[in-house]
């Protein structure tokens, strides 16, 4: 081990461009920012003219540069849907491998997968990589207690937990660290520096995936109009992708059919993080309504970062751990029986001022929540 530990953070296929970064990309970037305060950090990601702020970390391009970074690293961290070849490279170099591994459940509902002649075979691309990560990862990161519980059962089934592990730690802290969804200090500073800009009262702040129910927001806005409530809504990330095009097309058609063009906006242009901060700061509430499903039961929605950071309430469904978080931490409104009418009722309450703002939650700062993991990493590398 060198005087200063070198950690590689692999972004896999996730873009770290200001205008195309997604929730996982933002999470791994902010984690890299915090790690770079303590270690030498290299982030493997495709080069972009508008790379996000990596803190003191440095970007390494895929290919030979990435290979050299992995070869000289002390530890390599992979996130969802990692690059299989770089996993094998880390294994071959006998690196300490850390993985934030979530079962690829949502991928089974992707239109690009379902449109294949053999959807099950197509899904094996994701499942095979996930299984390989379970086999070779030395230490796992989880976003919540529920995700940790799900992972524990999976690791037991895979034979990754032994009596020796339980004897070492009954809580298996040497094997799993929980780093809740949150934000970094640099993310906080960027948010504070942004001047609020009103785009709409209510924002759909994340991806428009098939397991969500974005049409409910459009229908609720029609109800509010018919009630005479002056309100507006916007879908921030409506740039079509192969897996969101059909849903976005249906939303656009409904907005036109309902005559809501002056009330509901599909933001179809690339959105920089700085611009996004301006819009989310000025909103009255964020909306994230999903359908019942396995993905929502087992995964924490990364867009809750916005509520913890900006202190703006979230209106959400009750299906899974994200709704439980909103309820338990008083972060907004949980729709007990989600429908266009109940959503309209909730938004009308927000508009009237009847729903308070939860305020920023500093306990979600990664500098705090990652401390135990970094202490573990230091000790593990000392042990060799």
């Amino acid at each position: 081990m060198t005087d200063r530990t070198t950690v590689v953070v692999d972004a896999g296929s996730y873009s770290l461009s200001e205008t195309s970064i997604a929730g996982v990309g933002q999470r791994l970037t902010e984690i890299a920012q915090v790690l770079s305060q303590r270690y030498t950090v290299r982030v493997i990601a495709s080069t972009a003219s508008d790379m996000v702020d990596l803190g003191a970390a440095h970007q390494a391009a895929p290919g030979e540069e990435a290979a050299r970074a992995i070869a000289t690293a002390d530890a390599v961290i992979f996130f969802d849907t990692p690059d299989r070849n770089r996993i094998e490279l880390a294994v071959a170099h006998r690196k300490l491998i850390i993985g934030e591994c979530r079962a690829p459940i949502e991928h089974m509902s992707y239109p690009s997968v379902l449109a294949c002649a053999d959807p099950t075979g197509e899904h094996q691309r994701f499942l095979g990589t996930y299984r390989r990560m379970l086999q070779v990862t030395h230490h796992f990161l989880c976003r919540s207690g529920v995700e940790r519980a799900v992972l524990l059962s999976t690791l037991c089934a895979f034979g990754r937990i032994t009596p020796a592990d339980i004897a070492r730690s009954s809580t298996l802290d040497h094997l799993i660290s929980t780093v809740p969804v949150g934000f970094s200090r640099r993310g906080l500073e960027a948010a504070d520096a942004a001047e609020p800009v009103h785009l709409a009262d209510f924002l759909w702040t994340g991806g428009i995936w098939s397991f969500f129910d974005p049409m409910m927001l459009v229908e609720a806005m029609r109800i509010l109009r018919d009630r005479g409530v002056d309100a507006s809504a916007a879908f921030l990330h409506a740039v079509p992708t192969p897996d969101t095009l059909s849903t976005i097309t249906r939303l656009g058609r409904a907005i036109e059919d309902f005559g809501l063009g002056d009330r509901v906006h599909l933001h179809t242009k690339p959105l920089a993080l700085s611009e996004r901060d301006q819009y989310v700061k000025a909103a009255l509430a964020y909306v994230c309504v999903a359908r019942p499903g396995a993905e929502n039961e087992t995964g924490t929605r990364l867009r809750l970062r916005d509520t913890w950071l900006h202190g703006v309430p979230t209106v959400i469904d009750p299906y899974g751990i994200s709704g439980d978080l909103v309820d338990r931490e008083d972060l907004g409104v949980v729709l007990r029986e989600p429908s266009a009418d109940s959503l309209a009722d909730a938004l009308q309450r927000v508009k009237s001022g009847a729903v308070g703002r939860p305020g920023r939650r500093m306990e979600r700062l990664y500098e705090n929540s990652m401390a135990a993991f970094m202490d573990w990493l230091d000790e593990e590398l000392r042990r060799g």
Side-chain angles (χ1 to χ4, degrees), residues 62-74:
E64 293 183 3
E65 190 175 357
R68 289 194 297 271
I70 290 174
T72 58
D74 294 297

Side-chain angles (χ1 to χ4, degrees), residues 137-160:
T137 297
H138 300 99
H139 192 83
F140 296 87
L141 299 180
C142 288
R143 302 172 189 169
S144 68
V146 170
E147 292 185 31
R148 189 180 192 276
V150 171
L151 178 63
L152 283 171
S153 297
T154 304
L155 293 178
C156 182
F158 256 72
R160 286 299 317 274

Side-chain angles (χ1 to χ4, degrees), residues 292-308:
E295 167 61 25
N296 295 311
E297 290 182 31
T298 57
T300 309
R301 297 178 207 169
L302 294 169
R303 66 191 68 189
L304 287 177
R305 171 189 183 272
D306 293 332
T307 287
W308 284 309

Side-chain angles (χ1 to χ4, degrees), residues 88-384:
E88 300 304 341
L89 191 61
V91 172
H93 284 292
R94 303 180 68 81
K95 299 302 176 182
L96 180 67
I97 297 175
I98 299 156
E100 184 167 284
C101 305
R102 296 192 61 250
I105 296 173
E106 70 176 79
H107 304 69
M108 289 185 273
S109 64
Y110 286 179
S112 60
V113 172
L114 298 176
C116 292
D118 178 14
T120 300
E122 178 66 14
H123 183 254
Q124 289 297 314
R125 295 193 301 111
F126 303 104
L127 188 57
T129 301
Y130 169 67
R131 286 173 169 166
R132 184 59 173 155
M133 283 298 297
L134 292 176
Q135 292 172 338
V136 303
T137 297
H138 300 99
H139 192 83
F140 296 87
L141 299 180
C142 288
R143 302 172 189 169
S144 68
V146 170
E147 292 185 31
R148 189 180 192 276
V150 171
L151 178 63
L152 283 171
S153 297
T154 304
L155 293 178
C156 182
F158 256 72
R160 286 299 317 274
I161 300 174
T162 66
D165 284 307
I166 296 296
R168 178 176 173 182
S169 169
S170 61
T171 56
L172 298 176
D173 291 339
H174 64 288
L175 191 61
I176 305 173
S177 291
T178 302
V179 179
V181 176
F183 51 88
S184 68
R185 189 165 296 281
R186 293 180 82 97
L188 182 153
E189 292 169 352
D192 284 346
E195 291 294 331
V197 174
H198 184 267
L199 177 67
D201 298 321
F202 311 121
L203 298 180
W204 188 279
T205 59
I208 306 174
W209 301 104
S210 56
F211 47 86
F212 289 124
D213 194 355
M215 190 64 73
M216 189 182 293
L217 176 56
V218 177
E219 294 169 347
M221 294 305 295
R222 179 174 62 167
I223 293 171
L224 290 180
R225 180 199 60 193
D226 294 345
R227 292 178 182 176
V229 178
D230 181 19
S232 56
F235 293 86
L236 279 189
H237 300 285
V239 178
T241 69
D243 286 312
T244 62
L245 175 60
S246 60
T247 303
I248 292 173
T249 300
R250 287 196 299 273
L251 290 175
R253 188 178 302 120
I255 292 168
E256 182 178 354
D257 291 345
F258 295 162
L260 294 173
D262 61 334
R263 288 173 171 259
V264 182
H265 173 61
L266 290 175
H267 196 87
T268 57
K269 295 180 180 180
L271 185 68
L273 285 179
S274 56
E275 186 180 7
R276 186 181 190 280
D277 277 335
Q278 292 180 312
Y279 294 153
V280 298
K281 286 181 75 171
L284 297 180
Y286 311 134
V287 180
C288 180
V289 182
R291 300 180 178 89
E295 167 61 25
N296 295 311
E297 290 182 31
T298 57
T300 309
R301 297 178 207 169
L302 294 169
R303 66 191 68 189
L304 287 177
R305 171 189 183 272
D306 293 332
T307 287
W308 284 309
L309 173 58
H310 296 285
V312 176
T314 284
V315 181
I316 197 169
D317 59 89
Y319 308 128
I321 60 177
S322 298
D324 291 343
L325 280 169
V326 172
D327 186 37
R328 184 169 66 248
E329 298 187 18
D330 196 21
L331 300 175
V333 180
V334 180
L335 304 176
R336 298 305 174 188
E337 296 182 3
S339 67
D341 286 308
S342 65
L343 177 55
D345 291 344
L347 298 182
Q348 188 168 347
R349 288 177 56 213
V350 172
K351 184 70 176 181
S352 70
V355 177
R357 296 171 74 91
R360 176 175 288 163
R361 302 298 171 90
M362 291 300 293
E363 67 272 18
R364 290 282 170 169
L365 195 67
Y366 282 137
E367 276 81 352
N368 298 330
S369 62
M370 289 178 58
F373 164 69
M374 291 189 290
D375 288 344
W376 169 86
L377 179 58
D378 290 342
E379 178 62 25
E380 190 68 16
L381 291 172
R382 275 195 295 268
R383 285 160 51 98

